[in-house]
Amino acid sequence: MEALASQFDLKVVEEEKKEEKSAGSTPGADTPATDASEKETDPELKDAPVGSINKIKDLYQGPEDSSGRAPWVDKYPEDVEEAAETEETAKYAFIARKKKCFTGRKKFDIDSIIVNSPAVKKVLENVFAKYPGVTCSLDRLVFDAPFQPFVHRWTEFKLAIESEKNESTKTHLELLHRLLREELKDTIKALEDFILNGVTTFDILWAIFQPKCTVYSRTGGLPNCQSFYSGSYGEGQCGKYFQLTLEPIGWNGTEFKRGTEYANIYDFQGTKPIKDLSACPLHLHPEEEQIRKSLVKRGKKYEQFAGYHYKAYEGIALSWNAKGTQIPVTVTGRIIIDTESFDRNNPTKSSSYNDDLHPQDFNVSQTVGLDLKTMVTVVQNDYEDEGDGPKIDLTDDGRLICKSTVPGYSLKQKKWMLFFVDFIKEIEWNENAFSTLVLPEDTKDLLMSFVESQVENKNTFDDVIQGKGKGIIMLLSGPPGVGKTLTAESVAESMRIPLYMMSAGDLGIRPNEVEDALQKILEMVAKWDAILLLDECDVFLEARTNSDLERNKLVSIFLRTLEYYEGILFLTTNRVANMDAAFQSRIHVSMEYPNLTADARRQIWENFLKNSKQKSEVSEQDLDYLSTIELNGRQIKNVLKTSFLLSMRKKTPLKREFIEIVLAIEGRRPGA
């Protein structure tokens, strides 16, 4: 052992000495005493129940460990400095909190400024009136770098100093001005230089967007303006961005209000022309006047679309895919503009309008003697009923920031969408639609009187049970192509009311799906005073059996739901014999269409040729001959369409020989 110790230069302690030391020592004597053992127990703590001592016990955050976690300790920290802000510092008009500057241009940067002067606070209340995020009446008014409110209202701040009459207040304001001028001179100079040259950098975007300024952008490729509320920098998956919080004016179904939308300008290197930004202040755009004039005109059109409207549309609209992502689609045909119904049927896609209009957004008739509170009340109740006109008019400033889209329903695609105001047009009505319908005149008069009376007087007759039996149901039966569907279309066109064509595919096949879909459709159609056409209704109206329970459920749903329908319903079928008996008692008018006569076929040939835009050389004798061929109306239309295509290929007017060629191909020409 001693040899091994000698080799490594170690000292061997004799066992006897260790034993002596062990014998003369007290267990635990070498262990440092903890603070708890050194402290004497407070007599007040002895035997005291939990939470019974009426005192506050202070604990302090201790040093962090390697994981960044800091325990709470009883010991008072030794490195704590005395608080810098005291009753003494509060006597100064301003406190400038500074930090080291590492740019090499100066020693310190101002981190924030505390305003203590009551007189200055009062002046700043007017300077920063309605500035978002600034409340000058607070006891502790703090402005943080880069002092955005002062940069945006620098001109107003200087005017306030010049117009101040109280010498003491003016002295305080001038002191604050000198402090800020020295701190902001580089920012203000750069901002003026950028605006003069029509460019900006990403870092100074916050300076060119002043609160309440009008922001110009493009939505779906179309120009758009909104009021700027505030902006902030952020970072996401696509990198850094400057997010703008914008306020458009929109119709929420009952009143005009301001909403909230967001737009991002993503990071870019160096300078960029202000007009090329995805969103820019309108007053800095070189085409400000043309943009303003165009958007005010569109805003006036948007204002007229408040409530419910039946219009034509041709252009791009916005829809949603299966994932809920907004996508552009091409839409042509008739549409219904109806914000209230859109929001009810699409609660997750509806726009939120929570803020009242600003006084500069609207005019109220007969405002003499009205205060602002009364005016706002008028605005909040500007539409008593959706069909009524507004009691307020938007100003040009309000129309400028109206939304570019209105929510509505495409009758052709049977989808709720957002329609661009620019593509909405008035409907070009077919004045001859009903007159060209090949039906006996007395039948046509009966049909029209039923529909007109129902539209005008639908609330004058009721069942024993309120709300039951207010609608009118017409059954049109007969072979295909004799004009059943055309009858409903012609009546709607003549009455200038919407026609909703419903098929089995719109409702589904499961009973619960059918009931929900049918209920929504009937509510919409009744509200719009539209005609509902259920084409080829056999699948839902077929007689119930003892074996097919699912079909029985569907028939029962239709029987119950149609009983409370308050609008006009056309049912078409070519299998009327198979209809359930319970439906017969619910039908108000039943019309059977016979096969077309020769005179009816001649009239149909003549109508199609007259309404065509192509030249025709078909004579009266040709029409007499064609009327002898047994075709229904749909077949006549198809033959003529094909014949016109053939004539256009030959670059000659339509002749009888072209029609005969088509009939021969289809095997319908006599003697073919």
Side-chain angles (χ1 to χ4, degrees):
M1 188 71 176
E2 292 180 357
L4 186 61
S6 173
Q7 181 180 352
F8 291 98
D9 197 20
L10 298 174
K11 184 177 180 182
V12 179
V13 180
E14 296 179 5
E15 199 69 27
E16 294 81 0
K17 294 182 178 179
K18 288 175 65 177
E19 291 177 359
E20 291 176 4
K21 183 175 181 181
S22 178
S25 63
T26 305
D30 292 339
T31 306
T34 62
D35 292 341
S37 60
E38 290 178 354
K39 289 182 180 178
E40 294 183 3
T41 304
D42 190 341
E44 192 176 9
L45 294 174
K46 191 175 182 181
D47 300 328
V50 174
S52 61
I53 300 175
N54 188 26
K55 289 183 179 180
I56 298 174
K57 175 63 178 177
D58 296 327
L59 297 180
Y60 307 95
Q61 191 176 31
E64 294 182 354
D65 59 14
S66 58
S67 300
R69 297 171 298 186
W72 296 99
V73 298
D74 195 2
K75 185 178 179 182
Y76 185 85
E78 298 178 355
D79 57 348
V80 175
E81 298 287 343
E82 291 296 326
E85 294 182 38
T86 62
E87 293 182 0
E88 295 294 326
T89 58
K91 296 177 181 178
Y92 290 90
F94 311 100
I95 298 174
R97 298 193 290 202
K98 299 184 177 182
K99 59 184 180 181
K100 290 182 180 180
C101 177
F102 300 98
T103 62
R105 303 181 66 179
K106 51 187 177 180
K107 291 183 179 180
F108 295 98
D109 280 328
I110 298 180
D111 175 78
S112 55
I113 295 175
I114 302 173
V115 179
N116 291 326
S117 171
V120 172
K121 290 180 183 179
K122 194 169 183 179
V123 174
L124 293 182
E125 277 188 20
N126 296 324
V127 173
F128 298 120
K130 296 185 179 180
Y131 190 97
V134 177
T135 307
C136 295
S137 58
L138 296 175
D139 290 337
R140 180 180 175 81
L141 180 58
V142 181
F143 292 95
D144 296 315
F147 307 106
Q148 295 184 12
F150 283 100
V151 174
H152 291 150
R153 301 284 175 90
W154 189 250
T155 302
E156 291 85 345
F157 180 49
K158 290 196 295 184
L159 288 174
I161 297 173
E162 294 172 4
S163 61
E164 181 57 46
K165 297 180 180 179
N166 186 288
E167 287 300 323
S168 175
T169 304
K170 190 169 186 177
T171 303
H172 285 186
L173 289 170
E174 288 173 343
L175 177 62
L176 179 61
H177 178 263
R178 287 195 299 272
L179 177 65
L180 288 168
R181 183 181 58 190
E182 184 63 28
E183 186 68 18
L184 300 178
K185 63 181 180 180
D186 293 340
T187 302
I188 294 174
K189 184 178 179 180
L191 178 61
E192 292 173 348
D193 190 28
F194 286 152
I195 292 176
L196 183 64
N197 291 280
V199 298
T200 185
T201 62
F202 180 74
D203 293 336
I204 209 170
L205 279 175
W206 63 267
I208 68 171
F209 287 99
Q210 298 193 22
K212 300 178 74 174
C213 76
T214 301
V215 175
Y216 169 76
S217 60
R218 300 187 76 85
T219 303
L222 297 174
N224 194 33
C225 277
Q226 297 168 315
S227 179
F228 178 74
Y229 180 76
S230 64
S232 60
Y233 287 95
E235 187 169 1
Q237 294 180 347
C238 298
K240 295 180 180 179
Y241 59 83
F242 181 71
Q243 186 175 76
L244 295 83
T245 302
L246 305 170
E247 292 184 335
I249 289 179
W251 175 256
N252 68 357
T254 55
E255 57 186 320
F256 285 108
K257 280 203 167 189
R258 284 197 173 212
T260 302
E261 292 186 359
Y262 301 94
N264 292 340
I265 302 176
Y266 287 93
D267 191 9
F268 55 88
Q269 299 298 317
T271 60
K272 187 174 185 177
I274 294 175
K275 67 181 182 65
D276 292 341
L277 296 171
S278 57
C280 75
L282 180 61
H283 68 278
L284 298 179
H285 198 284
E287 300 176 4
E288 176 189 1
E289 289 304 317
Q290 297 94 309
I291 293 171
R292 182 178 292 274
K293 184 177 179 181
S294 172
L295 294 188
V296 167
K297 183 179 179 181
R298 188 182 72 189
K300 189 173 184 179
K301 189 177 178 182
Y302 178 92
E303 184 181 8
Q304 296 169 351
F305 290 152
Y308 151 75
H309 298 274
Y310 183 35
K311 298 293 179 182
Y313 193 84
E314 185 175 0
I316 300 296
L318 298 177
S319 183
W320 293 266
N321 60 18
K323 296 181 179 179
T325 305
Q326 207 170 70
I327 56 172
V329 293
T330 302
V331 176
T332 57
R334 309 280 177 88
I335 64 170
I336 304 288
I337 300 171
D338 188 354
T339 303
E340 191 271 334
S341 295
F342 178 93
D343 292 346
R344 189 173 65 250
N345 288 279
N346 306 274
T348 60
K349 299 180 179 67
S350 60
S351 299
S352 175
Y353 300 97
N354 300 318
D355 298 327
D356 292 331
L357 297 181
H358 294 179
Q360 70 270 18
D361 294 337
F362 64 93
N363 291 320
V364 181
S365 58
Q366 300 178 352
T367 57
V368 180
L370 291 182
D371 57 12
L372 180 60
K373 183 177 180 180
T374 308
M375 290 173 66
V376 170
T377 303
V378 173
V379 175
Q380 291 174 344
N381 298 278
D382 54 359
Y383 273 65
E384 291 182 358
D385 296 309
E386 287 198 35
D388 296 341
K391 297 184 176 67
I392 68 165
D393 291 319
L394 295 178
T395 62
D396 284 351
D397 288 340
R399 290 167 180 158
L400 175 64
I401 61 174
C402 279
K403 294 203 66 168
S404 59
T405 60
V406 291
Y409 189 83
S410 170
L411 291 171
K412 185 177 181 180
Q413 299 197 13
K414 298 180 182 177
K415 286 184 178 180
W416 291 101
M417 298 182 181
L418 296 178
F419 300 101
F420 287 98
V421 175
D422 300 82
F423 300 140
I424 299 174
K425 303 183 296 183
E426 293 298 325
I427 296 174
E428 295 180 5
W429 302 100
N430 185 353
E431 303 291 346
N432 301 318
F434 195 70
S435 61
T436 56
L437 185 64
V438 182
L439 280 178
E441 288 300 321
D442 56 346
T443 303
K444 290 163 69 172
D445 289 341
L446 179 65
L447 270 174
M448 190 57 71
S449 41
F450 267 124
V451 175
E452 287 179 350
S453 299
Q454 176 65 17
V455 171
E456 295 174 3
N457 308 298
K458 67 178 182 180
N459 292 319
T460 58
F461 180 83
D462 209 347
D463 202 333
V464 176
I465 304 300
Q466 186 175 4
K468 184 178 179 182
K470 284 188 174 183
I472 183 167
I473 300 175
M474 302 188 208
L475 175 66
L476 311 179
S477 60
V482 294
K484 301 187 298 296
T485 303
L486 182 62
T487 299
E489 294 171 337
S490 300
V491 169
E493 192 74 9
S494 181
M495 289 288 296
R496 299 194 174 189
I497 57 178
L499 173 68
Y500 190 99
M501 301 181 68
M502 183 172 64
S503 64
D506 301 327
L507 302 176
I509 56 174
R510 294 186 179 89
N512 58 335
E513 292 178 352
V514 171
E515 186 167 14
D516 291 342
L518 183 62
Q519 192 64 44
K520 287 182 179 180
I521 291 173
L522 295 182
E523 284 179 5
M524 292 189 305
V525 170
K527 177 185 177 183
W528 298 335
D529 282 333
I531 290 177
L532 177 61
L533 171 61
L534 181 53
D535 217 0
E536 304 299 337
C537 61
D538 316 341
V539 65
F540 294 117
L541 308 187
E542 193 171 350
R544 287 167 285 185
T545 64
N546 295 328
S547 57
D548 196 342
L549 295 180
E550 289 298 312
R551 177 175 292 280
N552 292 350
K553 289 180 183 177
L554 294 180
V555 175
S556 299
I557 289 169
F558 262 81
L559 286 170
R560 185 179 67 255
T561 307
L562 294 182
E563 192 75 44
Y564 291 89
Y565 177 54
E566 298 182 3
I568 304 167
L569 172 63
F570 279 91
L571 303 172
T572 69
T573 180
N574 49 23
R575 297 196 304 170
V576 68
N578 297 334
M579 183 177 293
D580 192 274
F583 273 110
Q584 299 288 349
S585 64
R586 287 166 170 78
I587 293 170
H588 300 84
V589 181
S590 181
M591 296 176 55
E592 178 147 8
Y593 287 62
N595 285 316
L596 296 176
T597 63
D599 290 339
R601 287 194 293 269
R602 191 184 194 285
Q603 184 67 46
I604 293 171
W605 280 104
E606 190 175 348
N607 289 341
F608 278 127
L609 289 171
K610 187 186 298 183
N611 294 331
S612 173
K613 296 179 181 179
Q614 304 295 328
K615 291 183 179 180
S616 170
E617 294 181 357
V618 178
S619 65
E620 294 293 322
Q621 292 77 14
D622 296 334
L623 289 175
D624 291 338
Y625 164 74
L626 293 171
S627 66
T628 62
I629 305 172
E630 291 191 2
L631 300 173
N632 63 42
R634 190 173 292 109
Q635 290 170 333
I636 293 173
K637 181 186 72 172
N638 294 338
V639 168
L640 268 179
K641 182 177 180 181
T642 310
S643 302
F644 272 123
L645 292 174
L646 185 59
S647 70
M648 286 187 286
R649 174 69 177 80
K650 301 289 186 180
K651 297 183 179 178
T652 61
L654 178 67
K655 299 177 182 179
R656 172 178 164 177
E657 62 183 85
F658 296 139
I659 298 176
E660 287 188 327
I661 290 173
V662 175
L663 290 172
I665 293 172
E666 296 185 3
R668 294 196 179 105
R669 183 167 62 86

